[in-house]
Amino acid sequence: MRLRGWVVPVLIAALAGPLAAQTRTITGTVTDSATGQPLAGAQVNVKGGLQSAQSRDDGSFTLNRVPNQGVTLGVRLIGYRGLEVSVPLEESGPVAVALAKDPFKLEEVVVTGQFVGVERRNLANAISTVSSEDLRDVPTPSIEQQLQGKVAGADIQTNSGAPGGGVQVRMRGITSINSAAEPLYVVDGVVMSDVAIASNQNAVTAASQGSNPELTQDNQVNRIADLNPNDIERVEVLKGASASAIYGGRASNGVVVITTKKGRTGRAQVNATQRLGFFSLSNKLGSRVFANDAEVDAAYGAGVGAAVGCTPTSCPFFDHEQELAGRKPLSYETLASVSGGDDNTKYYASGNVKHDGGIIENTGFNREGVRLNLDQQLGSRVTLSVNTNFLHTKAERGLTNNDNSTTSYYVALAFIPSFVDLTRNPDGTFKPTAPSPPFPPSNPLQTAALSSNNEDVWRILSGANLEWRAIQSQNSSLRFIANGGLDFFNQRNALFFPPDLQFEPVDGLAGTSLLSKSDNTNLNLFGTVVHNYAPAGRGFSATTSAGVQFGRRNLDIDRTTGRNLVGGQSNIDAATNIQVQQRRELIKNLGYFLQEEVLTAGERLLLTAGIRADQSSANADAGKLYFFPKAAASYRFPNLIGEGSEFKLRGAYGESGNEPRYGQIFTPLTSTVNIGGVPSLIVSSGAETGAPDLRPERMREFEGGFDMQLAHGRANLEVTAYQKNVSDLLLRRDLFESSGFARQIFNGGKLRTRGIEAALGLQLVDHKDFAWFFRTTFAHNRSKITQLDVPSFQQGGFGASLGTWEFTEDSSATRIVGNDTLTAPLTLPDGTVLPTGSAVVRRIGDSNPDFRMGFGSDFTVKRFGLHFLFDWQKGSNILNLTKLLDDFGGVTPDFAVPLPQPVPFGNDLLTTVGGQRLAGFGVTAGNYVETASFLKLREVTLTYELPNSVVRGILGARRSARLSLSARNLFTVSDYTGLDPEVSNFGNQAIFRNIDVAPFPPSRSFWFSIDVGL
């Protein structure tokens, strides 16, 4: 039977009337309980229902289609304590909600699983969070530098002072010897690549042709520097295995979860920031001052003093470091964002342009980017979130770090005394380092002016999250979540060294052009189901989550090296000597996870258990599953230490992995030979092979601690102790020659790291016109090799003559050993007695610090604010091989300082400080081992909020503006005689850091900023 056209509308209207009568609308406002000011962005939810809303700029909110019955509203806002408000059926007026501040964000929801989390006050793991307010104080090239000194247990060090970053982040000490050292970065659910791709400057410096052919010394950038810190809402640092186990076989080094900013309900909010500043050289090595021509002749040969302009009473002095790195070009950063939306659609869009001028000519860092984050409500049960970020960065990093060709700036300066004039001639050419010899044919000022080392990166980060709330009732909910992410970047390295450079003709191939093109794609897909059950009256809630994750990483690097350029052209095809290299990597991962979380005993007891199973093509058996379990518990004791206090005990256990590096399961082949004119692949001499059961390193970690809040949340203390037991270490062992291979990579040995970390926060004063907040962090750890399935071995550095790392059972994993001469008899474990004067190899230092602390404070006095942060490292040793080079060249500032009395050395007498130090080369490596202790003022910022009347008069109604002056790395206090105690010649390494060889000099930065809200 066919219904008439008017029947359907009538039926709909008849049904709609009763349905409409069963719902109502609730309105209200959210304010600050102390000031009464409206709060925007507060999330208001009907408990057990689908209805939710955000408070607008004036604090108001509206909830539609609320069941026509008494309901409870949950109101939350980061930085404030959450509140539940009962709204009875007969309530008809607006609901007034006043939230109290939560300075330590104890009620923020922290990640504990894939798409699940708990309030910080119940957290059973030590997870550090850093908010957007903590990231805006001082601009930095990369997000890791923003975290320095703010996260207990995170050792964050810059590899050099070069523009664009290059930072090592190490969580809770050592977790490996030969595997990956950097944490996993997850941005809005997208696993972001942080790969550091070398520029190929080694083709000119020949740095890796010495004792470290496998370790790059190209001073490369790690790609997290592409991300704009101003787009970040907060950062969660998962340091322990119990927290990071949800990411399985790649999480032993910790996980950094980054959440970017989202739109908020209400009128469009426009924010703009303009910063102007500059960088300046913060430290110099200094150089020896020569008194007269006789001193020059004694050092460099007869007649040299007169040739360089010295007289019997004086010598010219040129400050080469100032000439090279004394630039202070204008730096700037422009930021703009707009956000807003309604209950169905929210958006956040931003754009940024940044330029950091380098202190050396032809160096600097640029970043441009746009971001669009959308959150769309598709009906009452389905939500779609899309995050897209287009990025472009360009780094110009000059030529620094170790070399074997005397071409990089500070290596060349080590052999050029201060009396040599390196400046430009009137015609624009550069003076040679004459007389040469004895000085090298390399003028660093010319190299900086005429050569280029450019890295150009285009990148897209995009992710989508689709959530379906299939069930939502007073007692339970069921969510299905699909998440996908893509991280793709193209990196182009172009280096040009024209034939005009004084060092270029030395090899007979004048002029070098280097071109590298790299493509990297990270693809990851998640499927997750989350069920929450909270039966009425039973006093507990249970959250179950399960899912699957697929990941694919593809890296392709093509390098072309052209030498002997025709006519000084920079094109590769203008060279007569051309070499081509290619490297391709493809890794696929598949993981499964299951987790159960129970909150009971009046929300005081939290119990968590879960497991992750991973398989990876980086393992010998790509189809084998490796399981990583986790378990944690915490219990809160309210008012245990007095009214307004809370004490929480917590403990956790977890396992995570560190997969083999790409290619360790394969045998490398070379195609550089042919047989009878036919190209062929052969196993190269000294080739390695992977063990047939090669698998991930496994970390098992126990952690326990307590959190304590006093004075109604105005003081907060977190203390954690942990022990990490790492087994199945990736090691190398020698093979018999008959096998056809030199070495095999296999799993063997164990490593233990123990440590303690603490964080203290104090809200000392919190008044309307004056507030004072103080925070400090502390971290200490020690590592030990507990089992080694190969004989003791040395690795890293430049051998025992200069200092290297030695791995022996029952010894520190970060122990530095080197040549030494006994000053007293020494009895060996086997009873042998070595007499005084014997040459031995023994411990000369340790690269692990005794402890690391951060001290920060924020003051607010009416409209003025002051922020500062100190970073203190105590202990640790560094190999100052830049000083060794300067001693070789005789230019160290104290080289000619007389000793109090001559020191016998063989048949000679040593009479100067530098001579004594240099005489120990190859005999006493400790001469160039120094302390790496330091105290740095990382950040300092002074702000002023313009009065509303002034802002309204200039910009109109409802505007805000803030002015600020800031500085970063303003000063360093250290006994280290090198440029910077944080440097690492070999970049990001699990252990082999703390080697100083001619790095890019450090700088301090100064900024003036104006922030405007429209």
Side-chain angles (χ1 to χ4, degrees):
M1 181 178 66
R2 179 177 298 176
L3 294 175
R4 294 182 180 271
W6 53 268
V7 175
V8 174
V10 169
L11 289 175
I12 293 176
L15 291 173
L19 289 174
Q22 295 174 10
T23 64
R24 60 174 173 151
T25 299
I26 295 178
T27 62
T29 58
V30 183
T31 59
D32 186 305
S33 62
T35 65
Q37 294 296 315
L39 296 176
Q43 192 69 33
V44 184
N45 298 281
V46 176
K47 294 200 66 176
L50 296 171
Q51 300 79 16
S52 65
Q54 271 189 349
S55 61
R56 306 177 184 90
D57 300 335
D58 59 358
S60 65
F61 65 88
T62 302
L63 289 166
N64 297 311
R65 297 187 298 277
V66 179
N68 197 28
Q69 61 188 34
V71 296
T72 299
L73 303 183
V75 186
R76 306 183 63 89
L77 179 62
I78 293 178
Y80 288 82
R81 296 190 180 96
L83 194 65
E84 291 189 355
V85 180
S86 296
V87 183
L89 177 61
E90 58 273 12
E91 179 70 51
S92 58
V95 179
V97 181
L99 299 182
K101 285 186 178 180
D102 178 19
F104 304 107
K105 301 179 178 62
L106 299 177
E107 296 190 8
E108 71 173 340
V109 176
V110 178
V111 169
T112 57
Q114 301 288 1
F115 306 104
V116 297
V118 300
E119 291 183 358
R120 171 176 291 280
R121 62 175 182 168
N122 291 313
L123 197 63
N125 310 97
I127 296 178
S128 297
T129 61
V130 179
S131 67
S132 57
E133 289 81 5
D134 299 319
L135 300 175
R136 71 176 184 174
D137 293 305
V138 183
T140 60
S142 63
I143 179 60
E144 316 105 297
Q145 295 179 39
Q146 291 276 14
L147 301 179
Q148 285 180 307
K150 299 174 183 176
V151 178
D155 188 2
I156 304 173
Q157 293 184 322
T158 53
N159 295 331
S160 80
V167 179
Q168 168 107 5
V169 179
R170 187 166 64 192
M171 307 290 187
R172 291 185 172 177
I174 302 301
T175 57
S176 179
I177 297 175
N178 292 311
S179 195
E182 56 277 345
L184 193 68
Y185 290 90
V186 181
V187 182
D188 292 329
V190 179
V191 180
M192 183 176 178
S193 173
D194 191 36
V195 62
I197 302 174
S199 65
N200 196 28
Q201 75 174 39
N202 182 72
V204 171
T205 63
S208 296
Q209 295 179 15
S211 58
N212 290 280
E214 298 177 354
L215 300 179
T216 179
Q217 302 177 57
D218 284 9
N219 192 19
Q220 63 266 34
V221 182
N222 39 318
R223 292 268 56 90
I224 196 68
D226 297 335
L227 199 63
N228 177 19
N230 299 279
D231 281 339
I232 295 174
E233 181 64 32
R234 69 173 183 170
V235 179
E236 298 180 30
V237 182
L238 314 185
K239 296 170 287 188
S242 179
S244 63
I246 58 176
Y247 292 96
R250 299 179 58 198
S252 281
N253 298 308
V255 182
V256 179
V257 180
I258 297 174
T259 303
T260 61
K261 295 176 180 178
K262 303 289 187 181
R264 298 193 308 191
T265 301
R267 71 177 182 87
Q269 295 280 336
V270 179
N271 294 285
T273 298
Q274 181 61 59
R275 292 171 175 153
L276 299 174
F278 65 91
F279 291 76
S280 67
L281 181 64
S282 63
N283 191 27
K284 297 180 184 178
L285 295 174
S287 185
R288 176 182 174 184
V289 178
F290 289 81
N292 49 50
D293 58 356
E295 186 176 341
V296 173
D297 290 349
Y300 298 103
V304 174
V308 297
C310 293
T311 69
T313 58
S314 67
C315 270
F317 177 83
F318 299 93
D319 189 344
H320 297 320
E321 290 181 274
Q322 186 66 31
E323 293 168 345
L324 174 69
R327 300 175 73 248
K328 298 179 182 179
L330 177 67
S331 297
Y332 58 84
E333 185 171 20
T334 304
L335 305 160
S337 67
V338 57
S339 64
D342 53 31
D343 292 337
N344 292 319
T345 305
K346 301 180 184 67
Y347 61 88
Y348 171 84
S350 72
N352 71 94
V353 176
K354 179 180 179 64
H355 169 70
D356 289 345
I359 59 176
I360 296 177
E361 190 172 0
N362 283 329
T363 65
F365 176 71
N366 296 275
R367 178 170 57 222
E368 300 97 30
V370 293
R371 170 178 289 277
L372 178 61
N373 291 351
L374 289 175
D375 296 280
Q376 179 66 48
Q377 193 75 31
L378 304 176
S380 61
R381 296 180 180 272
V382 180
T383 303
L384 174 65
S385 299
V386 178
N387 306 298
T388 302
N389 195 191
F390 291 95
L391 297 159
H392 175 225
T393 58
K394 184 176 181 180
E396 300 167 288
R397 299 176 68 81
L399 190 65
T400 56
N401 274 24
N402 181 42
D403 76 57
N404 287 309
S405 57
T406 321
T407 51
S408 68
Y409 307 143
Y410 275 80
V411 173
L413 286 179
F415 300 94
I416 302 174
S418 60
F419 53 72
V420 176
D421 186 0
L422 300 177
T423 59
R424 287 179 185 261
N425 294 308
D427 62 358
T429 61
F430 283 85
K431 297 180 177 66
T433 56
S436 181
F439 311 128
S442 179
N443 184 331
L445 302 187
Q446 184 201 40
T447 303
L450 302 185
S451 66
S452 59
N453 180 356
N454 299 332
E455 181 172 285
D456 205 348
V457 176
W458 292 90
R459 187 169 196 164
I460 179 172
L461 277 165
S462 185
N465 190 84
L466 183 66
E467 179 176 321
W468 173 39
R469 288 170 286 178
I471 299 174
Q472 184 73 53
S473 68
Q474 291 286 345
N475 298 329
S476 66
S477 66
L478 180 65
R479 296 181 294 148
F480 292 92
I481 304 163
N483 176 276
L486 172 69
D487 174 18
F488 171 79
F489 70 79
N490 174 273
Q491 175 175 320
R492 181 180 183 273
N493 292 88
L495 290 78
F496 176 52
F497 301 91
D500 306 46
L501 294 177
Q502 294 175 21
F503 66 78
E504 266 297 330
V506 173
D507 61 1
L509 299 172
T512 304
S513 185
L514 309 171
L515 181 64
S516 300
K517 292 186 176 181
S518 308
D519 294 324
N520 185 87
T521 304
N522 276 25
L523 174 67
N524 53 93
L525 303 172
F526 282 91
T528 307
V529 57
V530 180
H531 179 256
N532 182 266
Y533 179 59
R538 298 189 184 180
F540 78 91
S541 64
T543 301
T544 306
S545 58
V548 61
Q549 176 188 11
F550 170 77
R552 185 179 190 273
R553 290 170 283 155
N554 188 8
L555 174 64
D556 188 352
I557 304 174
D558 300 300
R559 302 191 191 282
T560 307
T561 301
R563 294 185 174 91
N564 200 30
L565 299 174
V566 177
Q569 296 295 307
S570 61
N571 291 348
I572 296 291
D573 59 2
T576 63
N577 183 309
I578 299 176
Q579 296 176 337
V580 179
Q581 294 176 313
Q582 183 178 21
R583 178 178 176 85
R584 294 186 296 175
E585 299 180 4
L586 175 61
I587 299 178
K588 297 180 181 179
N589 300 82
L590 186 62
Y592 310 88
F593 55 90
L594 174 66
Q595 178 174 294
E596 182 68 29
E597 205 162 62
V598 177
L599 184 61
T600 185
E603 296 190 353
R604 297 182 184 179
L605 175 64
L606 176 70
L607 301 172
T608 302
I611 192 167
R612 166 91 181 213
D614 271 9
Q615 60 188 45
S616 173
S617 63
N619 303 324
D621 186 347
K624 183 175 180 179
L625 286 173
Y626 294 89
F627 294 89
F628 304 97
K630 59 175 285 187
S634 68
Y635 191 86
R636 297 188 295 115
F637 299 88
N639 301 317
L640 181 67
I641 321 172
E643 184 68 25
S645 71
E646 184 164 285
F647 185 82
K648 179 180 70 177
L649 284 175
R650 49 183 169 79
Y653 170 80
E655 299 183 15
S656 57
N658 203 359
E659 67 185 15
R661 293 183 182 274
Y662 178 82
Q664 289 184 332
I665 61 174
F666 304 120
T667 300
L669 302 175
T670 179
S671 59
T672 59
V673 299
N674 62 74
I675 300 175
V678 178
S680 61
L681 295 174
I682 65 170
V683 177
S684 59
S685 175
E688 290 183 342
T689 184
D693 61 345
L694 202 66
R695 57 193 180 275
E697 297 178 334
R698 179 175 294 269
M699 182 173 74
R700 299 173 174 88
E701 181 174 9
F702 299 86
E703 76 169 53
F706 67 87
D707 300 344
M708 182 169 58
Q709 293 85 47
L710 300 172
H712 298 278
R714 298 172 71 89
N716 183 70
L717 174 65
E718 301 175 6
V719 178
T720 304
Y722 59 87
Q723 176 169 309
K724 302 194 296 187
N725 297 311
V726 184
S727 59
D728 293 335
L729 291 172
L730 290 165
L731 300 175
R732 290 178 171 87
R733 59 187 170 197
D734 294 331
L735 298 177
F736 292 109
E737 293 183 3
S738 58
S739 68
F741 303 97
R743 292 174 302 276
Q744 183 187 66
I745 301 173
F746 76 109
N747 296 94
K750 296 179 180 179
L751 167 69
R752 183 191 70 206
T753 299
R754 289 174 175 167
I756 186 170
E757 58 194 31
L760 172 66
L762 300 173
Q763 183 71 64
L764 297 170
V765 183
D766 188 17
H767 294 304
K768 182 178 181 181
D769 292 333
F770 178 54
W772 180 11
F773 184 82
F774 172 81
R775 68 178 70 84
T776 184
T777 61
F778 172 87
H780 158 85
N781 65 75
R782 286 289 179 270
S783 62
K784 184 178 182 180
I785 303 289
T786 57
Q787 178 182 322
L788 199 61
D789 296 340
V790 293
S792 298
F793 64 95
Q794 296 173 3
Q795 188 174 336
F798 294 94
S801 62
L802 298 176
T804 184
W805 280 261
E806 184 174 71
F807 300 93
T808 306
E809 282 192 9
D810 298 323
S811 71
S812 167
T814 53
R815 183 177 65 161
I816 304 173
V817 301
N819 293 341
D820 202 0
T821 302
L822 294 181
T823 57
L826 175 66
T827 303
L828 300 179
D830 62 1
T832 303
V833 178
L834 298 179
T836 300
S838 298
V840 295
V841 175
R842 61 177 176 179
R843 182 184 183 277
I844 56 174
D846 197 291
S847 58
N848 194 58
D850 297 335
F851 62 81
R852 192 154 186 173
M853 295 188 71
F855 303 91
S857 200
D858 293 277
F859 298 88
T860 302
V861 181
K862 293 187 177 180
R863 296 187 176 277
F864 289 93
L866 175 65
H867 160 81
F868 66 80
L869 175 67
F870 285 94
D871 193 3
W872 179 25
Q873 175 176 286
K874 177 65 171 64
S876 178
N877 294 108
I878 184 169
L879 307 181
N880 189 353
L881 304 187
T882 303
K883 191 170 190 174
L884 171 65
L885 293 174
D886 285 354
D887 278 350
F888 280 152
V891 301
T892 319
D894 65 348
F895 189 84
V897 173
L899 291 170
Q901 60 183 20
V903 176
F905 182 77
N907 296 323
D908 299 322
L909 286 177
L910 303 177
T911 60
T912 64
V913 171
Q916 181 186 34
R917 194 167 51 231
L918 193 56
F921 173 62
V923 178
T924 305
N927 282 354
Y928 296 96
V929 177
E930 299 186 33
T931 176
S933 297
F934 64 81
L935 175 67
K936 292 191 176 186
L937 180 55
R938 289 288 186 193
E939 301 175 352
V940 59
T941 301
L942 177 65
T943 62
Y944 176 69
E945 298 280 349
L946 270 66
N948 294 336
S949 59
V950 174
V951 178
R952 283 196 299 267
I954 299 174
L955 301 175
R958 303 185 68 161
R959 302 292 193 265
S960 64
R962 185 180 74 155
L963 307 177
S964 64
L965 293 172
S966 59
R968 183 167 177 83
N969 294 326
L970 189 59
F971 66 79
T972 300
V973 178
S974 178
D975 291 332
Y976 182 56
T977 62
L979 286 170
D980 191 342
E982 293 187 272
V983 299
S984 173
N985 178 70
F986 295 103
N988 294 358
Q989 299 293 327
I991 293 178
F992 317 123
R993 293 183 56 81
N994 291 39
I995 301 178
D996 180 339
V997 190
F1000 197 105
S1003 62
R1004 56 174 66 96
S1005 61
F1006 301 86
W1007 297 91
F1008 168 75
S1009 305
I1010 178 168
D1011 301 274
V1012 178
L1014 306 176

